[in-house]
Amino acid sequence: QVQLVESGGGLVQPGGSLRLSCAASGSSFSTYAMTWYRQAPGKGRELVAIIGSYGGGTNYADSVKGRFTISRDNAKNTVYLQMNNLKPEDTAVYYCNAKRKYRDLMYDYWGQGTQVTVSS
């Protein structure tokens, strides 16, 4: 069982920066691929960035490439999303997800979300 708690959201002006954190409890954090998703009002959930287990490999949505950076600290059981040059269209609830497959079973956990609002 893994519990995920996001933090770091808030209100920021266009062009500003925020760093989101997702702290995981439970064991084997490093074996999970970690993903940040977001959901804007009236829209579906969108994949923002993913980082592989043990820190291997990252991928980003086209809309955030060059502005957002995902990273993880396995010693702290935490994944981060550094968001720079924020735009109003980045406004959404941001969710952290942990996923891994083990012995033909898929383990999939979600955090409660943190609100990011980009507005002047």
Side-chain angles (χ1 to χ4, degrees):
Q1 186 78 8
V2 174
Q3 292 183 321
L4 303 173
V5 179
E6 299 100 332
S7 61
L11 173 65
V12 63
Q13 292 186 341
S17 298
L18 282 175
R19 188 175 82 154
L20 305 184
S21 299
C22 173
S25 64
S27 60
S28 304
F29 171 77
S30 59
T31 66
Y32 286 82
M34 300 299 297
T35 307
W36 285 98
Y37 289 83
R38 67 187 181 186
Q39 188 165 17
K43 295 188 177 181
R45 195 165 289 190
E46 173 192 20
L47 187 150
V48 176
I50 183 169
I51 186 166
S53 58
Y54 301 102
T58 58
N59 205 2
Y60 298 88
D62 287 343
S63 58
V64 307
K65 279 181 182 176
R67 300 188 298 122
F68 290 12
T69 303
I70 188 171
S71 61
R72 66 190 298 164
D73 186 337
N74 289 331
K76 295 183 178 179
N77 281 14
T78 302
V79 63
Y80 304 97
L81 185 69
Q82 177 66 43
M83 306 186 294
N84 298 328
N85 190 21
L86 282 159
K87 303 176 181 180
E89 51 264 42
D90 295 317
T91 295
V93 178
Y94 284 71
Y95 297 91
C96 177
N97 172 265
K99 186 177 293 182
R100 74 163 182 167
K101 188 175 181 181
Y102 180 70
R103 293 184 177 178
D104 294 328
L105 293 177
M106 184 63 72
Y107 296 86
D108 192 1
Y109 302 99
W110 291 88
Q112 82 290 347
T114 186
Q115 176 70 48
V116 171
T117 302
V118 185
S119 175
S120 55

